[in-house]
Each structure stands twice: as structure tokens, then as C-alpha cells.
Amino acid sequence: MAKILKKEQWSESIFSMLIEANEVAKAAQPGQFIILITQESGERIPLTIADASPEEGWVQIVFQVVGKSTYELSLMNEGDNLYSFVGPLGIPSELEKFDGKVIMVGGGIGIAPIHPIAKKLKEMGNHVVSIIGAKTSDLLIMKDKMEKASTELIIATDDGSEGTKGFVNQVLENYLEKEKNVSQSWIIGPPIMMKFTVQSALKYGVKTFVSLNPIMVDGTGMCGACRVTVGGKTKFACVDGPEFDGALVDFDELMSRQRQYVEEEKEAYHMCLNERRA
Amino acid sequence: MAERIKPAEKFKRERTPMKEQAPLERIKNFKEVPLGYTLEDAIAEAQRCLQCNPAACIAGCPADVRIPQFIDKVIDEDIEGAFLEIKKTNALPAVCGRVCPQEDQCEGACVMEKKGKPIAIGRLERFVADKARELNLKDAEPTRNANTANKKIAIVGAGPAGLACAADLVKLGYDVTIFEALHKAGGVLIYGIPEFRLPKSIVGYEVEKIREMGVKIYTDYVIGYVKKVDDLVEEYDAVFLANGAGAPSFFGIPGENLKGVYSASEYLTRSNLMRAFDFPKYDTPITKGKKVAVVGGGNVAMDAVRTAKRLGADDAIIVYRRSRTEMPARAEEIEHAEAEGIQFELLTNPVKVIGDENGNVKALECVKMELGEPDESGRRRPKEIPGSNFTLDVDVVIIAIGQNANPIVARSATGVETNKWGYFVADEETGKTTHPKVWAGGDIVTGAATVILAVGAGKKAAKSIHETLSS
Ligand SMILES: Cc1cc2nc3c(=O)[nH]c(=O)nc-3n(C[C@H](O)[C@H](O)[C@H](O)COP(=O)(O)OP(=O)(O)OC[C@H]3O[C@@H](n4cnc5c(N)ncnc54)[C@H](O)[C@@H]3O)c2cc1C
Ligand SMILES: Cc1cc2nc3c(=O)[nH]c(=O)nc-3n(C[C@H](O)[C@H](O)[C@H](O)COP(=O)(O)OP(=O)(O)OC[C@H]3O[C@@H](n4cnc5c(N)ncnc54)[C@H](O)[C@@H]3O)c2cc1C
Ligand code: SF4
Ligand code: SF4
Ligand code: FES
């Protein structure tokens, strides 16, 4: 049982929650995730740790409502208890003080997982350039937190409602055109965004790390649901990742596997919406 | 109270059968297949026991269940007495009575086995445990002991090994805490073995009884992340590692990452732990194939294929590379599968999973095998017959070819040696590892084995921990 301490709605479909979880907060490191279940009949939902306070004993999650489980989570309120909350899971990001600049690219809900990595890198004395983007201004999350966690912050929206108009990979290319002193980059967002942004970075010879979000069940290496192909080899994203070298990831396979249950998901979501309305 | 019958009659009387759900009925539900003994059945069976002393059957039970003693109480209809007798040494009787391979354990050792009619010890144990649950009988109180109460034991994993160890230690008065990664305790009992063989409510009940004895069970607690084994060694007087062998094997054949290919662990976890068979009432989905191939010939493969059938598969097929006689699954499980209309493609091995344009499984390419010379294990080694490739049209493929060690726990345990497969090295009799404060047992030492061997390992470790801490 883990209590929801604070809930905020950041856009029509994006929510943030602080969850009371003392020991998880103490152990959490950038790049790791948790798995929660809302109620006894619920499924295991993996979510990245967006922030954590070991002093105050909470973990922040930021999620987008995309189906039944995230919808039900969004209906829960401050003071409610989650049925289950486990973490931190996955291998933490490997962070150090780099010689050159580090670039953090976050797309949509992917800004949430980019944040703790950027924050830590900056604390370590890095020059952190963050490029964050979303479809439109309303969906652009964590601007203030990213501002604090970055040395430079560049904003982009697909429709130009805020910052540069265009996709983050284009913004990245423009940046790399001028700036050669770059050591490494992290790119997190929807798989399609990661796929193209990795290609953009590679054009300029910049090494990339991506965080993969395949469908998971246990999240501890027990089931193999989360298999991804990296460098031609099968890896379990929950224990071998979720971060991998972007150049080696088979994004097409990832995208295909994420769609395994589209029909079932639709059925469950519709039933749930109908029940809630009734 | 029933009478004691004469030896001659004991030899004459046949084993009392147990009623089962009819095959065509049971493949439509997830309810238990065997229905259990009635009181009359149990007494009739108990009367056959010769009450040997010493009792060969006990030597065959890794949990040292006091078999003739409890059986004798069944004849007197003394359920409570029988229950307490069993509970003295076995914390999981309703589980063991159902899933122990009795033919290799207690019943295999029973003197009546020579006559081909061993006492149905497992069924009797199940009967007593089920009755006790109905009657809500209480366990004996753990002894309060000043010498042990201030000693803290940490156990990693709430599978049968961890639970058995915890139960024995708490009875001696120790302060015992189990750390379990999943949101429910029970290990394979809760996530792997299907509902129709082991109802989850029964596992839940036996776990609850262990909790009631005073064992603290922290679920959602992954050792290796939140705390390392190294931390536990600092904070506790002894640590027992019982994290099981939970990392699925795959072949590495082309197409294995197509949608519709599962490890048996994933398939069974979705169905059992997450109750995907009750989707959409429960949120976790599972692909309900119309034609399902399960690759493997062990108990896990039988569980997966019978689950597939119940989820609505018209064809549920076992693909196994040797012949029926070499199948490692229990005879009873194979027979159950056959009765349920499971098909068997024997002497067959998969070479490739074939997908459609959307990345879904549409067929499994296989090759025929023949048996050659015996290998190290004494079983004849299967060889491919060149050019014998053929395809099975299927929409789900389940790989059930075994588990490996999951490295998360071992990675966080300094000074605890593992072998080349990643299993902990531990003394067979005591469970002692290469670290003076750390014991290990169950599947994470032996590789995938059985519930009762895991229980036995947990009990040996408890004994050794007690000896070490009280000396
Ligand atoms: C390591 C990791 C970190 C993640 N971090 C975040 C995050 O910080 N914020 C966020 O909004 N989302 C995150 N996700 C994705 C999030 O888990 C899914 O959006 C969520 O599980 C969808 O559940 P649903 O029932 O609402 O939607 P559904 O209708 O069930 O599914 C919608 C889509 O979500 C994906 N999905 C479904 N079930 C799972 C599952 N069990 N595991 C993973 N993906 C699934 C599938 O691609 C599916 O098509 C992360 C996923 C992973 C694996
Ligand atoms: C499908 C299937 C069917 C089977 N059928 C039978 C049968 O009929 N009869 C029989 O005798 N045997 C059967 N077996 C084998 C039997 O279940 C196992 O041998 C037995 O469960 C092993 O017990 P264990 O306690 O060693 O490990 P497990 O039961 O695997 O339990 C280990 C526990 O440790 C937890 N854990 C793992 N890592 C961590 C961590 N890092 N931190 C905290 N906790 C952790 C796991 O979540 C799990 O709960 C079957 C196995 C399977 C998979
Ligand atoms: S625990 Fe298993 S081996 Fe022991 S008596 Fe019971 S059924 Fe037989
Ligand atoms: S060996 Fe068989 S007959 Fe003898 S006591 Fe045990 S169960 Fe009874
Ligand atoms: S989610 Fe089960 S192994 Fe990764």
C-alpha cells in the first residue's frame, strides 16, 4: 500500500502524483522506474521515477492517460492508497562529469524520465542542454523543473504554439550544426520520436542513450515480456535496461510489440468508460 | 469412529480413487480438476495404512511429515489431531498434498508401493488440510523463547523454500522477515502453477497462516534494488536466499520476438497471478490463440498447454523433441492433458517462428527428430532428420524449455559464491553458502526442481541457522 500524497493535473491527459514510498525514495536513482497497481483487479503499470525526495519520502510519477489503467489511476485522489507499488527497478543511468556538453532530448511524456537524469548531470557539474518538445504548448510539461535542471533549455512544439515550431529531432540537428563540443545525449519519448532523433544525433556522430518502454509484467526479469532487440541480441528491458545505446535498438520491433494488445486494450477501456458513465 | 481393519483386508483393498471434473467439462473452466476425498473416502484409504515403524514413507518426504501418525488420526475422524500432526513439520499441507510428485517421494517409498498400491498419502494430506481450512482450525502456538526472540532472520523470496524456512524459524521464536519481489507471496505457487491445479485462494490461506504465526512478509520488495543482500547481512543475524530460478530461457531462433510468442513464465503469470483468464474483469490481457503450440515436455509445458485449452484454443499442441517416454512431466499431468484433447507433436523441434505482415505469429516451422545415442543424462539424444521440415499453423507459441538464475540477488551479495550457471553454491545438508551469515536453498541452488524439495531445503536451512545461532 502506498498513499497518494499529492495529485496535479498538468494538461487534459497528463497527471503528476507524489507517492509516499520511503524506501523507494531513498534507493531511487535516475533512469529507474516503478511498477504500480491501482486496485486488486488492476494490471501492473510501469512508470518512470520523475523525481524523488529521500528526505520527505516521496516518489514522483508523471503519466499520460492512454488506456484503462492510466485512466483509473487518474481518477484516484490524494489520500487514496495504491494496491501495490514496487521499485526502484531497472539499471540506473550511468552518469559522470563529461568534458563536452550533454544533450537531453525529451518528447511529450518523455520529459518526465529525462528530468532526473538532467538534474543529476547538472549537479555533477555538466553543461546540460535540454531540448523538450510536445505537440502543443498545453502538453509541454515540467518546464520549470527542466529549466532548473538545465544550463540551456530549448523548447519546441509541433504546431509552434510555444518555442521553435517543429520536431525535436530537427531542433537537435540545428543545434548540432553549430555546436561541436558534445559528449553524449539522452533521448526519451515515444519510440518513433526516439528512432528519428537517434538518427539525427548519429548524423553528427553524437552517442545516444534511449529509455525503452516495452510492455512489461513483473519488471524483474522473470517473464521476458519486455524483450527488445539491441545490437542484434535479445535483451530484457526491465533488467538489462531500460536504457540502451540508441544506435543499436530495433525500434520497429519495439513499436510492433507495443501493439500486441491493442484490441484487448480498446475493449477494456471502452467497457470501463461505459461503466463509469453509467 | 471407524474400525481398524485386518492386514489381509488392507492388502486386498484397492487405492481409493479421487473424483475429478470430467475432461470436456473442465476445459471450459479454471476450477480444480480433482475434487478431493469425502470423509468416507479418506477413512477407507487411511484404513489401508500398515502403520509401519520405522515408516519408510517418512524417509521419502523431504518435509518429514509424520505420515502414519496423521493417517491414524484420520481413521478416528480426528481432523484437528491429524492437522496438527502434519503441521508440526509442514507449513504447506494443502499445497503439497496437491502438487508433490508423490510417486517419487512419500508414496514411492511406501511399503505398499511394492504391491502397486501405495497409500494415497498426498490425497489424505490434502483432505486433512482442506477440512482444517473449512473448520478454520488453529495452528499450535509458536514457542516464545527469550534466546531466539531477539535474533533477526531475513529471507529473500516468499516461494515454498522461503515460506518453509520462515515457518520453522518462527516456531523456534525467531524474529523472521520475508522480502518478496511480487505483490503477492507464494512464488511459483501463486504465479506459475495454474488455478485448476492449485487454487490461489488455498495458497493465500496457507501464506496467511504463516503470517499469523508472526512472520513479517513484505511484498513489493525487490532485494538487489531497495536493499542489497549486503545490507541484510549487516542488519540481520542470518539471511536465507530463496529467490527461485525465475528467468525464462528462449531458443534464439528467428521470429521469437514476434507478437504471440510467450515464455511459459509470462503466459502463466498473466493467467495466474494477474488473472488474465478473467479479462476484462481483471485488466491484464493475454492473447487467446485458436491454435497454440507449446514447446517443451515438462510440467510447465503441460500447465501452459492446458491453460491455452481453457482460454479457448481449438488446437493446443505440445511440441517436444524426444518421445513420450522421455517426457519429464509427471505421468498424471500427461494423462490429464491427453484426456483434455491436447495434441502431441513428438520428436519435433521448432526452427523458426513465422509472422504475418503485422508481426503476429502465423506458423511455427519445425523439424522432425530421431533418437540417437544416449547422452550424459542417459536419455537418448535427439538428432534432426535433415529435410524433414514442416510448418504448424498456429497463432500463439509458448516456449517452456526451462528457467535460468535471475542475477539481481546474486549481484548484490558480496562473498556468496555462485556456480557457472549463476546458482548459489550451498551445502546440500545445511544450505550454508560461502558466506558465514548467508544460507540458500530451493530452485536458486538446485535449478528448477519441485515444491517439496524447496520446502525441504528451507527446513534444512532453518535447522542449520538455529544450530549456528544458538551455539
Ligand atoms: C520502463 C517504462 C517506463 C514508463 N514510464 C512512463 C511514464 O513515466 N509516464 C507514462 O505516462 N508512461 C510511461 N510508460 C508507459 C506506461 O506504462 C503505459 O502507458 C501504461 O502501462 C498504459 O496502460 P493503460 O492501461 O492505460 O493503457 P493500455 O490501453 O493498456 O495501453 C496503451 C499502450 O500502452 C502500452 N502498455 C500497455 N500495457 C503496458 C504495460 N504493462 N507495460 C508497458 N506498456 C504498456 C502499450 O504500448 C499500449 O498499446 C512507461 C513504460 C515503461 C515500460
Ligand atoms: C508452471 C510450473 C509448474 C510447476 N509444477 C510443479 C508441480 O506440480 N509440483 C512440484 O513439486 N513442482 C512444480 N514446479 C516447480 C516448483 O514450483 C518450484 O521448484 C518451486 O516453486 C521452487 O521454490 P522456491 O521457493 O525455490 O522458488 P520460487 O517458487 O520460484 O519462489 C521464489 C520467490 O522469490 C521471489 N524473488 C525473486 N527474486 C527476488 C528478489 N530479488 N527479491 C525478493 N524476492 C525475490 C520470487 O518473486 C518468488 O516469489 C512447477 C514450476 C512451474 C514454473
Ligand atoms: S509433503 Fe509431499 S512428499 Fe511429504 S508426505 Fe506430503 S505429499 Fe508426500
Ligand atoms: S510406508 Fe505406507 S503403509 Fe507404511 S506407514 Fe507409511 S504410508 Fe503407511
Ligand atoms: S517485464 Fe518480465 S522480464 Fe521484463
Side-chain angles (χ1 to χ4, degrees), chain A residues 67-68 261-275, chain B residues 278-283 285-286 288:
Chain A
K68 177 177 179 188
Y261 302 104
V262 217
E263 290 310 316
E264 288 88 348
E265 285 155 1
K266 262 193 234 149
E267 182 193 344
Y269 198 16
H270 285 148
M271 261 188 59
C272 155
L273 288 177
N274 288 339
E275 273 170 28
Chain B
D278 213 356
F279 179 88
K281 201 172 137 213
Y282 281 74
D283 293 343
I286 194 163
K288 295 181 178 167

Side-chain angles (χ1 to χ4, degrees), chain B residues 60-63 65 67 90 96-97 100 102 105-106 121-122 125 452:
Chain B
C61 170
V65 170
I67 297 166
N90 187 7
C96 290
C100 274
Q102 287 104 8
Q105 306 289 348
C106 52
I121 302 168
E125 187 176 4
I452 191 62

Side-chain angles (χ1 to χ4, degrees), chain B residues 394-451:
Chain B
V394 292
D395 46 13
V396 166
V397 172
I398 300 166
I399 314 283
I401 54 168
Q403 275 94 250
N404 303 310
N406 181 329
I408 297 179
V409 174
R411 245 176 2 213
S412 82
T414 315
V416 187
E417 200 178 300
T418 52
N419 66 18
K420 65 176 168 180
W421 299 285
Y423 295 116
F424 290 118
V425 176
D427 184 273
E428 225 181 282
E429 281 316 304
T430 62
K432 282 186 173 162
T433 68
T434 50
H435 189 296
K437 283 177 81 176
V438 180
W439 281 254
D443 281 4
I444 192 57
V445 170
T446 55
T450 63
V451 171

Side-chain angles (χ1 to χ4, degrees), chain A residues 226-264:
Chain A
C226 60
R227 9 201 233 293
V228 288
T229 301
V230 181
K233 291 206 179 70
T234 294
K235 301 275 177 190
F236 289 4
C238 68
V239 281
D240 300 327
E243 260 180 35
F244 294 98
D245 181 341
L248 303 178
V249 171
D250 182 342
F251 286 104
D252 294 333
E253 181 188 88
L254 172 68
M255 285 185 267
S256 170
R257 285 185 62 80
Q258 282 182 332
R259 299 182 51 79
Q260 174 158 1
Y261 302 104
V262 217
E263 290 310 316
E264 288 88 348

Side-chain angles (χ1 to χ4, degrees), chain A residues 7-219:
Chain A
K7 173 185 173 185
E8 284 172 357
Q9 182 161 10
W10 286 356
S11 78
E12 202 190 319
S13 64
I14 299 177
F15 293 80
S16 153
M17 284 179 178
L18 301 189
I19 312 295
E20 186 176 55
N22 240 309
E23 293 197 88
V24 185
K26 280 203 195 87
Q29 292 178 63
Q32 292 187 300
F33 62 99
I34 56 89
I35 291 186
L36 63 80
I37 307 176
T38 53
Q39 58 193 350
E40 202 267 331
S41 60
E43 67 182 329
R44 295 172 65 93
I45 318 175
L47 296 169
T48 310
I49 297 171
D51 204 350
S53 167
E55 301 79 28
E56 293 169 26
W58 52 254
V59 168
Q60 183 185 26
I61 52 170
V62 177
F63 62 94
Q64 180 154 27
V65 174
V66 294
K68 177 177 179 188
S69 301
T70 42
Y71 173 64
E72 298 215 308
L73 180 59
S74 77
L75 296 179
M76 294 185 75
N77 288 310
E78 290 176 7
D80 290 350
N81 281 306
L82 297 166
Y83 174 70
S84 152
F85 187 85
V86 60
L89 300 168
I91 298 179
S93 315
E94 268 181 48
L95 307 178
E96 56 183 277
K97 167 75 181 82
F98 294 97
D99 295 333
K101 296 180 176 177
V102 283
I103 302 197
M104 314 302 296
V105 186
I109 196 78
I111 301 169
I114 274 287
H115 171 258
I117 309 175
K119 181 172 150 188
K120 187 73 195 253
L121 281 167
K122 192 169 174 213
E123 276 168 22
M124 293 171 114
N126 285 290
H127 183 108
V128 178
V129 182
S130 299
I131 301 172
I132 60 172
K135 281 210 185 79
T136 135
S137 174
D138 289 348
L139 297 172
L140 203 61
I141 57 167
M142 300 183 88
K143 269 179 291 184
D144 296 349
K145 282 198 164 192
M146 283 307 293
E147 177 95 58
K148 266 195 232 137
S150 320
T151 322
E152 294 174 55
L153 178 68
I154 305 171
I155 288 174
T157 48
D158 298 0
D159 63 357
S161 52
E162 192 172 345
T164 314
K165 179 173 171 107
F167 295 132
V168 281
N169 68 314
Q170 195 49 53
V171 178
L172 175 67
E173 287 195 30
N174 296 344
Y175 191 87
L176 293 176
E177 202 51 58
K178 288 174 284 171
E179 177 61 68
K180 297 296 160 212
N181 182 26
V182 173
S183 290
Q184 198 162 299
S185 66
W186 271 265
I187 296 166
I188 309 182
I192 190 81
M193 166 269 182
M194 291 195 276
K195 177 179 170 176
F196 287 115
T197 314
V198 165
Q199 285 169 6
S200 298
L202 291 178
K203 262 198 235 168
Y204 295 86
V206 172
K207 188 171 170 70
T208 58
F209 278 97
V210 293
S211 180
L212 304 185
N213 55 353
I215 292 177
M216 293 187 175
V217 183
D218 62 303

